[in-house]
C-alpha cells in the first residue's frame, strides 16, 4: 500500500512548519485547532459515506456523546483525561450500537433515522440532569495534562493532540480501505445484493463502519471538551457539528482521505475569518450555498474539479 | 385526570392536521422523484414567517398571508426542484446532501431577515378559546384543522381524478411505464413539488397561527414529517392523516403527563417502536428494508 506523497508532505509541514510559523499567534492557533477538530469529524463522516455508502446527518450525536462521556468521567469519577478521551470514543460507539437497527433501512430512510437519533441524544443530555448537569452544562472540565515537561493544556498542546489524532485516524482509514473489508465495501458500493451473494455480510460490515466512524467523531468530541473546558447540550449536540463536517468533506472530496481535512481547514478558516466578519449572524448561509454549489457543479470535491481543469482529456 | 387525557387527545388530533399536510408534501415528492427533500420543513417555516411578516408589517391577520405564502413557497419549491434535477450522479446521496444544504440556506435567510427571536401571533381573535363540551381549543387550531381536512380532501380528489394527479401516482409507482404511456416524468416531478409547496404554505401559516416559531424549527419539522411517513407506511392519505394524528396525540399526552421538554422524545420513541416492530409502517406494505 502506497501512502500518498502529498499526505507525507502535509504531515511534515503540519508538524515542523506550522508550530514555528504560527505558534505565537494564539488567535490563529485556536482557529486551526477548531478546524482540525472539525476535520477529524469530517474524516469520520467521509469514512462512513465513502466506505459504508451511508450519509449521516447524526454525527453531532457521536460528537456530543463523546464529549459528555469524557467530561463526566473526568469531572465526576476523576478519571485521567488521557484515559477519558478514548472512553468518549467508546461511548460514541455504544451510541452507534443503539443506532444499529437503522442499518436495516436504506438511503434516505437511514439518513433521516440517524437525524432523529441525534435529536434523541440531545434531549437526553438536556433532561438527564442528575448526570449531565442539564441545560446548565458541565463546567470546569480538566484540560490536557503536562507530559514530558510539555504543557498540553495550551493551544499548541491541543494543536499537537488534534493533529496527531487526525493523522492516526487517516492512517487507520487508509488501512481499512486497503484491507479485505475495504474491498468488500467498495464492491458493495456497486451492488450490495451481488456482494451478499458472494458471501459478504454486508450489514455487519456497515455496522462496523458505523462503529469506527462513531469512535472517531466521539474522540474528537472528547478532545474538544477538554480543550474548551465547558459543555452544554445545545453546544455539544449542535447541528453545526454535522453541517461543518459535511461541507468540509464535500468541499475537499469525500471519496479521498486528505480531502475532508483540507476541506475543514479551508472552509472553517474562511467561515471564521472572512464570512463571520462580513455578516455576524447567518454566516452559515455561505456554508449552505457552498454545499449546494459543490453538489451541483462538482460532487466529487474541489480537488477533482482542479484535476479536471489541469487534464482536459481526463 | 380523564379530562386532561381527553383534552390531550383532542389537542393532538387538531395538531395532526397540519402535521399531515407537511408529511404529505414530503411523501409526494419522495413518490415521484425518490428524493427526500430535507429542506421541506424549512419551506413550511418560511410560510410561517411570511405570516408573521404580514401580521407585524401590514397589520393583517395571518390568514391574509396565505396568498403571499403560496407564491413565495411555491417559487422556493420550484427552485429546489430545478437544483435537485440537475444532479446526474449518485442521485440518492447527493440529493440528500443538496437539500440539506438548501435547508441550511433557508434557515439562515430566515435568521437574517427575521432574527432569532421566538414569534407567535398577536391576533386575539385567533387565540380566543373555542369550547366544545369539556374540550378546549383555540379558534385557530379548529379553523386550520378544518382547512387541513379540506385540503386533504382536495388532494385526494386531485390524485384520484385529475390528469396530473394520476400522472403523479403513475410516476410514483413505475417511472418507466409512465413514460411509455406518454407522461413526462420531469414535468410530473415539478408538479409534485408545487403541490408540496402549496401544502407547506398552508401548514406554515397554520403553525404560526396557533403556535410559536423560531428559525431553527425547520429541521424538527422535517423529522416529524418523516416520522409520520414511517408510521403511516407509504401510500394512502388517510394513513398519513392517522400517522400525523398519532404523532400529535403522542406529543400532547407527553406534555400533559410528563413534561413539555420531552415532547420531541415521544415522537422519536414512537418512531423507533414502529421501526422495530412493524418496519413497513402501521398501514402500509411498501418496501423500505434493504
Amino acid at each position: 500500500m502506497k501512502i500518498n506523497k502529498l499526505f507525507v508532505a502535509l504531515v511534515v509541514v503540519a508538524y515542523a512548519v506550522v508550530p514555528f510559523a504560527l505558534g505565537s499567534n494564539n488567535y490563529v492557533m485556536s482557529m486551526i485547532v477548531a478546524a482540525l477538530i472539525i476535520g477529524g469529524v469530517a474524516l469520520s463522516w467521509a469514512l462512513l459515506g465513502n466506505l459504508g455508502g451511508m450519509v449521516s446527518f447524526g454525527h453531532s450525536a457521536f460528537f456530543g456523546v463523546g464529549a459528555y462521556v469524557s467530561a463526566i468521567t473526568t469531572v465526576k469519577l476523576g478519571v485521567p483525561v488521557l484515559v477519558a478521551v478514548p472512553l468518549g470514543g467508546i461511548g460514541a460507539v455504544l451510541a452507534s450500537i443503539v443506532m444499529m437497527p437503522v442499518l436495516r433501512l436504506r438511503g434516505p430512510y437511514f439518513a433521516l433515522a440517524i437525524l432523529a437519533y441525534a435529536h434523541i441524544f440531545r434531549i437526553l443530555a438536556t433532561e438527564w440532569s442528575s448526570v449531565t448537569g442539564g441545560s446548565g452544562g458541565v463546567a470546569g472540565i480538566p484540560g490536557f495534562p503536562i507530559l514530558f515537561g510539555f504543557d498540553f493544556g495550551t493551544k499548541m498542546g491541543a494543536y499537537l493532540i488534534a493533529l496527531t489524532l487526525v493523522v492516526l485516524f487517516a492512517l487507520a482509514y487508509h488501512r481499512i480501505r486497503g484491507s479485505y473489508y475495504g474491498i468488500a465495501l467498495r464492491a458493495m458500493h456497486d451492488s450490495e445484493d451481488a456482494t451478499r451473494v458472494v458471501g459478504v455480510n454486508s450489514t455487519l460490515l456497515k455496522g462496523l463502519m458505523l462503529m469506527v466512524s462513531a469512535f472517531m467523531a466521539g474522540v474528537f468530541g472528547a478532545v474538544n471538551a477538554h480543550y474548551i473546558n465547558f459543555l452544554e447540550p445545545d453546544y455539544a449536540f449542535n447541528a453545526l457539528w454535522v453541517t461543518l463536517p459535511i461541507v468540509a468533506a464535500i468541499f475537499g472530496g469525500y471519496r479521498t482521505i486528505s480531502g475532508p481535512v483540507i476541506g475543514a481547514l479551508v472552509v472553517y478558516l474562511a467561515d471564521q475569518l472572512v464570512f463571520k466578519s462580513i455578516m455576524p449572524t447567518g454566516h452559515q448561509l455561505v456554508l449552505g450555498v457552498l454545499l449546494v454549489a459543490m453538489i451541483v457543479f462538482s460532487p466529487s470535491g474541489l480537488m477533482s474539479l482542479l484535476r479536471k481543469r489541469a487534464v482536459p482529456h481526463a | 385526570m380523564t379530562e386532561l387525557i381527553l383534552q390531550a387527545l383532542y389537542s393532538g388530533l387538531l395538531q395532526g392536521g397540519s402535521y399531515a399536510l407537511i408529511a404529505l408534501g414530503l411523501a409526494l415528492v419522495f413518490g415521484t422523484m425518490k428524493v427526500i427533500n430535507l429542506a421541506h420543513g424549512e419551506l413550511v417555516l418560511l410560510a410561517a414567517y411570511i405570516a408573521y411578516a404580514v401580521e407585524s408589517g401590514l397589520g393583517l391577520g395571518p390568514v391574509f398571508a396565505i396568498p403571499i405564502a403560496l407564491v413565495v413557497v411555491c417559487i422556493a419549491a420550484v427552485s429546489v426542484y430545478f437544483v435537485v434535477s440537475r444532479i446526474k450522479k449518485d442521485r440518492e446521496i447527493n440529493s440528500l446532501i443538496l437539500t440539506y444544504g438548501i435547508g441550511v440556506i433557508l434557515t439562515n435567510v430566515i435568521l437574517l431577515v427575521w432574527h432569532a427571536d421566538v414569534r407567535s401571533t398577536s391576533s386575539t381573535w385567533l387565540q380566543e378559546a373555542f369550547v366544545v363540551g369539556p374540550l378546549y381549543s383555540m379558534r385557530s387550531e379548529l379553523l386550520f384543522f378544518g382547512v387541513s381536512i379540506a385540503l386533504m380532501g382536495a388532494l385526494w380528489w386531485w390524485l384520484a381524478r385529475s390528469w396530473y394527479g394520476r400522472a403523479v401516482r403513475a410516476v410514483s409507482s413505475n417511472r418507466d411505464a409512465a413514460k411509455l404511456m406518454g407522461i413526462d416524468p420531469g414535468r410530473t416531478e415539478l408538479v409534485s413539488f408545487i403541490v408540496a409547496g402549496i401544502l407547506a404554505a398552508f401548514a406554515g401559516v397554520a403553525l404560526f397561527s396557533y403556535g410559536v416559531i423560531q428559525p431553527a424549527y425547520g429541521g424538527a419539522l422535517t423529522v416529524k414529517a418523516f416520522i409520520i411517513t414511517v408510521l403511516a407506511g407509504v401510500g394512502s392519505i388517510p394513513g398519513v392523516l392517522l400517522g400525523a394524528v398519532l404523532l400529535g396525540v403522542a406529543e400532547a399526552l407527553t406534555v400533559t403527563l410528563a413534561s413539555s421538554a420531552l415532547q420531541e422524545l415521544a415522537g422519536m420513541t414512537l418512531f423507533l417502536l414502529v421501526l422495530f416492530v412493524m418496519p413497513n409502517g402501521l398501514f402500509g406494505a411498501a418496501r423500505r428494508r434493504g
Side-chain angles (χ1 to χ4, degrees), chain A residues 102-161:
Chain A
V102 301
L103 288 178
R104 301 198 300 189
L105 300 172
R106 267 190 175 164
Y109 283 97
F110 170 83
L112 274 164
I114 208 164
L115 182 65
Y117 265 107
H119 277 258
I120 295 183
F121 282 110
R122 183 198 194 134
I123 297 169
L124 283 179
T126 316
E127 295 305 311
W128 195 11
S129 47
S130 59
V131 175
T132 63
S135 51
V138 187
I141 302 167
F144 290 105
I146 300 170
L147 278 181
F148 317 117
F150 183 81
D151 184 2
F152 282 92
T154 58
K155 296 263 186 293
M156 182 59 69
Y159 170 76
L160 291 174
I161 288 172

Side-chain angles (χ1 to χ4, degrees), chain A residues 173-184:
Chain A
Y173 182 178
H174 187 76
R175 285 212 67 158
I176 294 172
R177 199 174 60 172
S179 70
Y180 158 77
Y181 295 117
I183 294 164

Side-chain angles (χ1 to χ4, degrees), chain A residues 57-71:
Chain A
F57 295 101
H59 263 59
S60 53
F62 302 137
F63 186 88
V65 168
Y68 263 96
V69 168
S70 188

Side-chain angles (χ1 to χ4, degrees), chain B residues 229-236 239 278-288:
Chain B
T229 53
V230 169
L231 292 183
V234 181
S236 67
M278 309 170 77
N280 287 328
L282 298 173
F283 320 105
R287 214 178 87 94
R288 267 203 314 272

